[in-house]
Amino acid sequence: MSDAMIRVPAEVRDRLAVIAESRGTSIRSLVQEFAETTLTAEERRERAALAQMCRDGVPAGVAAAVHAARHLPEWGSQALVATVEPKAYEGQGVGVFDLNR
């Protein structure tokens, strides 16, 4: 693992030290945990879109497949969802490859 130096004001470093100590860990581990668990704005939008599809009655697996098909940059609008349940994808705006044929 390579190290990187992150410069913060002394007050921030001191606060991180207090938080880390209260959790029984190090500042390094605290920052690593933050980086691994904090969602980016794009990740929050993606999760919100999936959650909205589920609230609209789309099964979670279908919502995830639709989301994945919509976000394949190398395929663009030609991405397909391969499925044995093509009716589940009607009206979702993605191409479907029917595995029953």
Side-chain angles (χ1 to χ4, degrees):
M1 173 183 1
S2 64
D3 287 337
M5 183 176 291
I6 300 173
R7 299 179 77 69
V8 297
E11 303 82 38
V12 173
R13 181 206 56 222
D14 294 345
R15 177 145 175 83
L16 289 171
V18 168
I19 294 169
E21 184 178 346
S22 73
R23 295 184 181 186
T25 190
S26 65
I27 292 175
R28 174 190 293 240
S29 294
L30 189 68
V31 171
Q32 181 175 345
E33 177 188 343
F34 173 79
E36 291 172 348
T37 61
T38 303
L39 299 175
T40 65
E42 178 64 23
E43 290 167 333
R44 286 191 304 273
R45 283 190 295 275
E46 289 174 0
R47 290 193 182 188
L50 286 171
Q52 184 61 54
M53 289 178 75
C54 291
R55 283 191 298 274
D56 292 341
V58 177
V62 172
V66 168
H67 176 76
R70 288 180 180 165
H71 294 88
L72 288 172
E74 62 274 7
W75 286 76
S77 64
Q78 296 184 1
L80 298 174
V81 174
T83 181
V84 295
E85 299 281 346
K87 288 188 181 236
Y89 295 88
E90 288 178 358
Q92 297 300 329
V94 295
V96 174
F97 181 79
D98 186 349
L99 294 173
N100 296 311
R101 294 182 177 197

